């Protein structure tokens, strides 16, 4: 029971973060700091909408029991990609800040979907 509650809390946090980051990425023109961070990572402005759609899609996949694992896997891969781009740009602080966010989908995979029988 406690495992399901923890899994549910992590699911809500992860879905919320994905939707928030996806929406913020779509609205990068209103927030010049987001564009600056993405450009320092080497992400071109033409690739930003694709990354936003991917992030929102991951949030949707996490809510569906049959795609829960795939959503977490894609979430971990996207976070790992951000970490790799940050390391390539020699932004070690950003790479280190992403470690807890990388652990989140891996823990969620281990805990499994909270409403599964």
């Amino acid at each position: 029971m406690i495992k399901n509650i923890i899994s549910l809390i992590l699911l809500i946090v992860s879905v919320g973060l994905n939707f928030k980051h996806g929406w913020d990425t779509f609205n990068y023109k209103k927030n010049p700091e987001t564009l600056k961070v993405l450009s320092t990572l080497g992400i071109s402005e033409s690739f930003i909408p694709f990354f936003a759609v991917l992030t929102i899609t991951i949030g949707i996949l996490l809510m569906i029991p049959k795609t829960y694992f795939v959503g977490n896997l894609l979430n971990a891969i996207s976070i790992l990609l951000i970490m790799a781009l940050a390391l390539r740009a020699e932004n070690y602080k950003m790479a280190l800040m992403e470690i807890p966010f990388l652990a989140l989908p891996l823990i969620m995979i281990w805990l499994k979907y909270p409403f599964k029988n």
Side-chain angles (χ1 to χ4, degrees), residues 18 20 29 39 43 54 58 87 92 103:
N18 276 301
K20 181 194 178 309
K29 291 185 180 183
S39 64
I43 298 174
L54 177 68
I58 289 170
L87 289 173
Y92 303 114

Side-chain angles (χ1 to χ4, degrees), residues 77-114:
I77 290 170
S78 68
I79 293 168
L80 198 58
L81 175 67
I82 291 169
M83 290 175 73
L85 292 172
L87 289 173
R88 187 180 71 176
E90 297 181 1
N91 190 343
Y92 303 114
K93 183 179 177 185
M94 179 185 285
L96 290 173
M97 285 177 22
E98 292 293 325
I99 291 174
F101 298 108
L102 178 61
L104 182 65
L106 300 177
I107 292 170
M108 289 173 62
I109 289 171
W110 176 64
L111 290 173
K112 298 189 178 31
Y113 193 75

Side-chain angles (χ1 to χ4, degrees), residues 63-75:
M63 293 188 291
I64 303 168
K66 292 191 183 250
T67 60
Y68 180 77
F69 175 76
V70 174
N72 277 309
L73 188 63
L74 289 173
N75 199 7

Side-chain angles (χ1 to χ4, degrees), residues 14-24 55-57 59-60 63:
S14 186
V15 168
L17 283 172
N18 276 301
F19 286 149
K20 181 194 178 309
H21 288 280
W23 184 255
D24 289 346
T55 305
I56 291 174
T57 303
I60 294 169
M63 293 188 291

